[in-house]
Amino acid sequence: TIQSAIDFSSDGDTVLVSSGHYYECIDINLSNINIIGENLNTIIDGQGECRGFSIGNKSNISIETFLIINGFGSGAGGGVYIAGSNGIHLENIEINNCVAGSGLYDFGGGLYADNSTYWLKDVTIDNNTANTANGLGGGIWNRNSNLNFENLGLIYFKIKIDKILLRKIIAI
């Protein structure tokens, strides 16, 4: 699995991932690592049970060329969750059909970042949801974080507020 390769890695390593459909949730448990998919047919599928990638209190991580689908974060970050981390780079990434849900407050259906510095380049975040009455940030929730981006697309995200479903289409 991809998780096994990361767990086996050391500081400064690069994990190369072949094209394929991977049914797993990846917890990046070390700093200074590159995780690179072969192409956008390198799919991380959370199956509606868990996040595609979780990064907590790490630094200098590069994730490139993945399609992240069907992720679920209880409370925050259905597709990608970044907290207390710096130097996080996401490039050539698509995050689709992910949900932050099941808590009183749900944030960042596609991507959640808190107390972090991160870069998004050539990233598309499409059809993601913050799924409760108080849900915020269907596409991205950026809290106390520095976001730098180039070619970022936020397309069709949903937020539920007081039993009213708001839909928004933004293309950048």
Side-chain angles (χ1 to χ4, degrees):
T1 65
I2 299 168
Q3 185 67 58
S4 296
I6 293 169
D7 292 345
F8 187 73
S9 296
S10 300
D11 188 51
D13 281 354
T14 296
V15 175
L16 300 175
V17 182
S18 296
S19 179
H21 204 121
Y22 298 86
Y23 298 96
E24 61 181 298
C25 308
I26 300 164
D27 182 17
I28 301 177
N29 50 19
L30 72 156
S31 293
N32 304 310
I33 188 168
N34 302 303
I35 304 162
I36 302 172
E38 182 176 353
N39 54 44
L40 286 176
N41 289 319
T42 311
I43 301 166
I44 307 300
D45 189 337
Q47 302 179 79
E49 297 175 5
C50 56
R51 299 176 179 103
F53 286 95
S54 295
I55 305 165
N57 300 308
K58 302 296 178 234
S59 59
N60 304 317
I61 294 170
S62 180
I63 301 170
E64 298 178 27
T65 318
F66 286 95
L67 171 60
I68 301 165
I69 61 172
N70 304 323
F72 178 80
S74 179
V80 176
Y81 176 90
I82 304 168
S85 298
N86 294 299
I88 308 304
H89 297 262
L90 301 179
E91 184 171 343
N92 196 26
I93 302 287
E94 292 185 16
I95 303 171
N96 300 332
N97 198 38
C98 295
V99 175
S102 82
L104 177 61
Y105 291 93
D106 297 310
F107 305 104
L111 185 148
Y112 172 86
D114 184 16
N115 259 349
S116 298
T117 300
Y118 63 109
W119 288 262
L120 304 177
K121 181 177 180 185
D122 299 324
V123 172
T124 301
I125 299 173
D126 184 13
N127 197 34
N128 298 283
T129 305
N131 205 27
T132 64
N134 298 308
L136 301 169
I140 295 175
W141 183 260
N142 188 65
R143 181 176 183 270
N144 299 322
S145 295
N146 294 316
L147 164 61
N148 299 285
F149 62 88
E150 179 181 338
N151 297 327
L152 171 63
L154 296 173
I155 307 165
Y156 193 76
F157 55 90
K158 296 181 277 185
I159 307 168
K160 292 184 180 179
I161 300 174
D162 293 329
K163 299 182 183 176
I164 298 170
L165 178 62
L166 301 177
R167 296 173 190 238
K168 184 81 172 177
I169 299 174
I170 297 177
I172 297 173

